[in-house]
Every structure is written in C-alpha cells, then in structure tokens.
C-alpha cells in the first residue's frame, strides 16, 4: 500500500536526507532550479517555497506548511508498487541536466476494486 511507503520527516531530518538523492527541483521565489543535488552549493530556505529531491530509489518532498509558516517533509520510498511511467520534455534552460524528466504515477485499488493514482513522484532525468 502507498501509505506504507510514505514517511513524515521533520525539516531537520529532511535536510540531512536530501544528499541521498541524485536530483533536486527547487521552487524558489525568484526562480526554478533543477540540478544534480551535489551541484547545489547551499539552499536559501528563506527563498525556497517547495523542494523535491529524487532519483530511482524515491523522493523527498519538502514544503511550506501554510498555517504554521514552517517546513515539513514527506519521504516516499516505493517498494514493488504498480505504476504508470510518463516522460516529459524539459525546457531548454534545463538542457544541461537532461532532455526529459520521468514521472511515475503509483497505483492502488480502492474498496470497490477500482484502480486509481494514489501518489505521483519524480523518478529520473534522461
């Protein structure tokens, strides 16, 4: 089940875990950054609104909690889940990292036996 693959993390835990992922997608106030995580010198968290760190093993999503004005994090580590994979072309400004981003939609089955997309995660860059 999807919920078994989702782990809530504190912001401090997430900052320690982000180096375990190959790619970083940061939504800053002034720009969008897509790069390899080890190419990031430092993250200005005061300017960052949302961040994804990802690779083929999983995804770490760091986001601002609106009511509390602090960051929270969810780590997604899929294990033998069914998925549908999509490939999306990257904008030319991200050409140095790759030509496309791979996104997986992880499937689950509801109580009526209907299949649905339970979680969407960044997976790879090619």
């Amino acid at each position: 089940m999807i919920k078994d693959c989702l782990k809530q993390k504190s912001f401090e835990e997430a900052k320690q875990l982000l180096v375990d992922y190959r790619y970083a997608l940061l939504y800053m106030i002034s720009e969008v950054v897509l790069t390899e995580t080890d190419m990031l010198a430092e993250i200005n968290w005061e300017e960052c609104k949302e961040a994804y760190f990802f690779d083929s093993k999983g995804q770490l999503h760091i986001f601002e909690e609106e009511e509390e004005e602090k960051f929270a994090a969810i780590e997604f580590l899929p294990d033998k889940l069914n998925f549908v994979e999509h490939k999306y072309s990257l904008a030319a400004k991200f050409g140095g990292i790759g030509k496309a981003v791979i996104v997986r939609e992880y499937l689950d089955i509801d109580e009526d036996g209907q299949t649905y997309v339970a979680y969407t995660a960044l997976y790879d860059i090619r």
Side-chain angles (χ1 to χ4, degrees):
M1 294 202 68
I2 297 293
K3 66 181 180 179
D4 298 331
C5 300
L6 295 168
K7 305 290 183 214
Q8 199 161 14
K9 303 288 182 182
S10 72
F11 180 51
E12 293 306 316
E13 287 176 305
K15 287 194 297 186
Q16 300 300 314
L17 290 171
L18 63 86
V19 296
D20 295 338
Y21 293 94
R22 181 170 178 189
Y23 300 107
L25 173 61
L26 307 171
Y27 291 96
M28 311 298 274
I29 292 171
S30 61
E31 66 179 327
V32 175
V33 176
L34 177 62
T35 188
E36 291 195 30
T37 303
D38 61 1
M39 299 300 287
L40 288 172
E42 189 174 327
I43 300 170
N44 180 351
W45 291 106
E46 290 180 12
E47 188 178 320
C48 187
K49 301 308 268 176
E50 187 172 24
Y52 293 89
F53 299 89
F54 64 97
D55 58 26
S56 60
K57 71 178 167 285
Q59 174 181 273
L60 178 65
H61 180 201
I62 301 173
F63 53 96
E64 238 182 3
E65 287 186 313
E66 291 182 28
E67 291 121 27
E68 299 184 31
E69 295 186 15
K70 66 177 185 174
F71 285 104
I74 300 285
E75 188 172 34
F76 177 65
L77 298 169
D79 184 33
K80 299 179 184 170
L81 298 173
N82 293 323
F83 61 87
V84 176
E85 192 169 275
H86 301 280
K87 181 178 177 180
Y88 298 100
S89 296
L90 288 172
K93 73 178 188 174
F94 300 122
I97 192 165
K99 294 183 179 183
V101 63
I102 308 303
V103 176
R104 285 188 172 178
E105 293 178 339
Y106 293 89
L107 308 174
D108 210 343
I109 299 172
D110 68 14
E111 61 277 350
D112 295 328
Q114 301 292 314
T115 300
Y116 67 99
V117 175
Y119 197 79
T120 302
L122 297 162
Y123 178 75
D124 197 11
I125 294 180
R126 296 185 185 145

